[in-house]
Amino acid sequence: MQEINRRGFVRQAAAGVGGTFAAAALGAAPAQGGAPAETERLPREVWVASISQNGLSADTPEQMVELLLARMELAAAQRPDIICLPEVGPFVNLTGDSRTPVKEAAGKYCAAFTARLAGFARSHNCYVWAPLYTQEGGRCYNALVLIDRRGQVQGEYRKMHPTLGEMEDGVSPGPLEPTVFDTDFGRIGAQICFDIEWKDGWEKLGKAGAEIVFWSSAFGGGRKLNLLANLFRYNVVSSTRKGVSQVVDITGQSVAWTGLWEPSLCTALNLEKAYVHTWPFSENFDKVRAKYGRAVRLTTFMEEEWSIVESLSPEVKVADVLREFGIKSYDQLIQESTAEQDRKRG
């Protein structure tokens, strides 16, 4: 815990920030009041934080970085594993005529801002998605740079689908194969703002095994994020310049969000879960409950007829449960069904 006077300074710098953060009730984790002790955490419990830029304005990119860092300090009390920031956050919500040209932002500020955020990552032992303009080979990109717990750059995602205005300003489209990153808590990927209007990046991330996709954006996205999370069966975490930032789990349900009173969030996700087609595997659900009791949670969405198998015990792996009771994951079932349809179709 940070000393009181330092916390007071941070709160003053991040004017308008609420004092609490949304937290999902997961296993033994408390609903709020800080992340659980390490001994209480499930093996694949991940604490994700999202920083909204609502209510922040500054005269310069340097000042904006300091304001964002102040909000990050507040989220750090929850001991997040990873923090995401809004799209090119240091260069927006600036007053007057202080807009920074893309080439200057990539050349003048990228290294310095990466260093500032890397220092935060090291200090708080967490990953950080840094929203920056980067450059390579004479091209500039709207990017999310992934910084690991040691403060080292692990790589970057470059926005696949920039807007017409961005391209006029000198932003180049990124590769059409989005990068996935293996972290110490799972496989993650990213998309940025206008990417939401194309399905290709989201679908490719799902096929590449992403378990959490971070969406850094200028706007909230709303129900589109719920649709994408459910469609591709991974968690989605958004961080936005305006509107609502949220966390959506694989069911497509929002589990945490920002708003007027809390412009940032930190919550837990349990990655030890599987999405399955309810029928015919529901015939074995009572057997699962009889053997594992509260160690396994089964949640069925009746109208849609799909279910979630989730482990709430460090001793139980979902893959083992599925194998033991002959339950196929949704993706496995669809792949096998498609292959047999193609074979029968001739």
Side-chain angles (χ1 to χ4, degrees), residues 14-30:
V17 179
T20 60
F21 298 85
L26 181 62

Side-chain angles (χ1 to χ4, degrees), residues 255-272:
V255 298
W257 46 87
T258 64
L260 174 63
W261 304 113
E262 297 194 24
S264 299
L265 66 85
C266 186
T267 194
L269 291 172
N270 183 10
L271 301 187
E272 192 61 40

Side-chain angles (χ1 to χ4, degrees), residues 231-243:
L231 182 61
F232 298 116
R233 296 169 297 286
Y234 48 52
N235 302 280
V236 174
V237 178
S238 68
S239 179
T240 63
R241 186 182 312 166
K242 63 181 180 182

Side-chain angles (χ1 to χ4, degrees), residues 66-267:
E66 296 306 316
L67 291 177
L68 291 170
L69 282 165
R71 282 195 173 172
M72 292 167 69
E73 285 285 350
L74 294 178
Q78 301 284 93
R79 300 201 311 276
D81 294 294
I82 185 167
I83 298 181
C84 189
L85 296 170
E87 181 185 25
V88 293
F91 307 102
V92 297
N93 289 8
L94 302 180
T95 58
D97 297 323
S98 52
R99 184 181 180 194
T100 308
V102 169
K103 189 171 183 179
E104 179 183 345
K108 178 180 178 181
Y109 293 108
C110 184
F113 290 168
T114 299
R116 290 287 286 123
L117 294 168
F120 179 95
R122 279 193 305 274
S123 175
H124 295 287
N125 190 36
C126 68
Y127 290 80
V128 173
W129 280 113
L132 302 167
Y133 289 113
T134 64
Q135 59 184 348
E136 183 181 29
R139 292 176 176 265
C140 294
Y141 300 96
N142 180 341
L144 279 174
V145 176
L146 182 62
I147 301 169
D148 68 19
R149 297 183 195 268
R150 301 167 301 162
Q152 301 296 312
V153 172
Q154 191 167 340
E156 70 179 77
Y157 165 71
R158 293 169 174 174
K159 188 174 184 179
M160 295 167 58
H161 302 290
T163 66
L164 293 173
E166 284 183 291
M167 289 184 284
E168 290 173 0
D169 289 341
V171 173
S172 294
L176 288 175
E177 294 296 328
T179 306
V180 290
F181 299 90
D182 289 314
T183 70
D184 56 20
F185 56 78
R187 178 167 286 190
I188 65 175
Q191 294 281 272
I192 298 175
C193 202
F194 203 39
D195 286 335
I196 201 170
E197 307 299 346
W198 284 262
K199 192 176 71 171
D200 56 343
W202 302 86
E203 185 172 19
K204 288 174 181 176
L205 287 171
K207 290 180 177 178
E211 297 171 284
I212 310 175
V213 173
F214 293 84
W215 186 62
S216 176
S217 178
F219 73 107
R223 289 177 293 177
K224 290 182 179 180
L225 297 176
N226 303 82
L227 172 64
L228 289 164
N230 184 214
L231 182 61
F232 298 116
R233 296 169 297 286
Y234 48 52
N235 302 280
V236 174
V237 178
S238 68
S239 179
T240 63
R241 186 182 312 166
K242 63 181 180 182
V244 174
S245 299
Q246 61 177 318
V247 177
V248 185
D249 73 7
I250 64 175
T251 67
Q253 294 184 309
S254 299
V255 298
W257 46 87
T258 64
L260 174 63
W261 304 113
E262 297 194 24
S264 299
L265 66 85
C266 186
T267 194

Side-chain angles (χ1 to χ4, degrees), residues 270 272-274 284-285 287-299 308-322 324-325 327:
N270 183 10
E272 192 61 40
K273 60 172 61 175
N284 287 326
F285 285 0
K287 297 177 184 177
V288 173
R289 293 188 179 100
K291 177 171 181 178
Y292 290 103
R294 294 182 181 180
V296 173
R297 179 160 58 200
L298 296 167
T299 306
I308 302 297
V309 183
E310 179 180 9
S311 172
L312 300 179
S313 168
E315 309 302 322
V316 180
K317 302 294 184 186
V318 167
D320 294 337
V321 175
L322 299 186
E324 179 180 359
F325 290 94
I327 300 172

